[in-house]
Amino acid sequence: MTYEMTVDDVTRLTPDVKQFHLVAADHSFDFRPGQHTTVQFEQDGEEVVRPYTVTNLPGTDELTLAIRRYDDGTASVWMHERERGDTVEVGDVDGNLYVRDFDSDVVFVATGTGITPMAAMLRDYADRGDGDAHLFVGEKTREDLIYRETFDRTAASNDNVDVTYSLSEEDWDGATGHVQHRLTDELDSLEGRDFYVCGVPQMVVETTDLLKDEGVSEDHIYTEGWEGDEVADEDEDGDGDE
């Protein structure tokens, strides 16, 4: 099923990421924080369908999407051309990323716009969770960080929430390097936690492998599930490096 939504507001979050606030005329969205919708449109006679995570909480007629523009992209370029008052067709909200157990300690690991499901999930866990949550965010530079002020406020106002940022292409007073390598340094133990991972496919695969090597059961590692195939395709084409 699809829904016609109106662009109510557009906010630039970073030089290449815009946030789109969409409003439906006659529908209230019920979903689990962390899940995604699809943006659908026709271009050059072909239907284009792309998934984007919803960053707001359910129960309203609104959806908020943070989308990075890629110069060679199709949907991201099209979305970045949308302005207030334009209409956008979206699909149902669904997906594999959402908090499974609010009594368990949780770890969120994200790079790039993979942070978008974590934004909703962390907010949901801060409201409902009984354990500890640690968010790990990997980016190239501070300029690329999305929702940093929001995450910092959440951590400051919730004793059970911690946030670690790791930059791979900028020297600063925080952590550096690929974010997945921070897990064993920052966490006193990996046992008894649920791990939610989203972002660059190579990072997702490497993080999953690292966690398994450290003894974390696959039953406690949650991803969208398609990343392994994506990395395999890139490796076959000789483009597997992050």
Side-chain angles (χ1 to χ4, degrees), residues 213-231:
D213 289 344
E214 292 290 332
V216 178
S217 168
E218 191 172 359
D219 293 339
H220 291 278
I221 305 171
Y222 301 96
T223 71
E224 286 290 8
W226 51 265
E227 297 87 358
D229 291 339
E230 182 77 12
V231 170

Side-chain angles (χ1 to χ4, degrees), residues 20 23 38-39 99 105 120 132 147 158 161 189 231 235 237 242:
F20 299 87
V23 179
T38 53
V39 169
V99 176
D105 292 342
D132 293 324
Y147 298 134
N158 293 273
V161 175
S189 173
V231 170
D235 287 342
D237 293 336
E242 185 176 338

Side-chain angles (χ1 to χ4, degrees), residues 3-237:
Y3 311 90
E4 185 175 280
M5 305 193 72
T6 301
V7 179
D8 183 66
D9 188 46
V10 180
T11 305
R12 184 172 293 279
L13 301 180
T14 74
D16 58 358
V17 177
K18 288 183 178 181
Q19 177 175 274
F20 299 87
H21 178 215
L22 311 178
V23 179
D26 55 0
H27 182 74
S28 180
F29 292 91
D30 183 22
F31 56 90
R32 295 182 175 96
Q35 293 184 314
H36 63 263
T37 185
T38 53
V39 169
Q40 307 180 24
F41 59 95
E42 187 174 298
Q43 183 169 288
D44 298 330
E46 295 186 3
E47 184 180 24
V48 178
V49 180
R50 295 290 188 275
Y52 293 107
T53 300
V54 177
T55 61
N56 61 292
L57 297 182
T60 72
D61 60 356
E62 304 173 359
L63 296 179
T64 302
L65 313 177
I67 299 176
R68 170 166 278 127
R69 185 188 189 280
Y70 295 94
D71 291 339
D72 59 350
T74 301
S76 68
V77 172
W78 186 86
M79 279 298 297
H80 270 241
E81 294 172 348
R82 300 309 98 190
E83 299 177 348
R84 186 174 183 180
D86 288 345
T87 58
V88 176
E89 185 176 0
V90 305
D92 287 321
V93 184
D94 201 355
N96 194 49
L97 281 179
Y98 54 89
V99 176
R100 300 313 203 273
D101 185 354
F102 287 91
D103 294 324
S104 172
D105 292 342
V106 298
V107 177
F108 304 113
V109 187
T111 57
T113 49
I115 195 61
T116 53
M118 309 310 179
M121 294 165 73
L122 182 67
R123 182 178 172 187
D124 195 26
Y125 192 88
D127 289 343
R128 303 168 56 192
D130 291 324
D132 293 324
H134 199 133
L135 170 66
F136 290 84
V137 182
E139 261 299 355
K140 294 179 180 179
T141 69
R142 277 175 287 184
E143 186 179 53
D144 297 310
L145 289 171
I146 304 172
Y147 298 134
R148 183 181 179 186
E149 291 183 1
T150 299
F151 296 143
D152 288 346
R153 284 197 302 268
T154 301
S157 58
N158 293 273
D159 292 338
N160 64 332
V161 175
D162 289 302
V163 183
T164 296
Y165 304 99
S166 187
L167 304 181
S168 60
E169 296 184 5
E170 180 181 350
D171 290 329
W172 68 319
D173 57 1
T176 58
H178 289 171
V179 68
Q180 61 267 32
H181 300 150
R182 307 304 307 176
L183 298 179
T184 53
D185 293 336
E186 299 285 341
L187 300 174
D188 55 1
S189 173
L190 302 184
E191 295 182 4
R193 303 174 188 264
D194 289 335
F195 293 83
Y196 300 88
V197 189
C198 189
V200 177
Q202 188 75 31
M203 182 280 292
V204 175
V205 171
E206 288 184 6
T207 302
T208 301
D209 290 343
L210 180 152
L211 293 172
K212 290 179 180 177
D213 289 344
E214 292 290 332
V216 178
S217 168
E218 191 172 359
D219 293 339
H220 291 278
I221 305 171
Y222 301 96
T223 71
E224 286 290 8
W226 51 265
E227 297 87 358
D229 291 339
E230 182 77 12
V231 170
D233 289 343
E234 289 177 354
D235 287 342
E236 289 177 2
D237 293 336

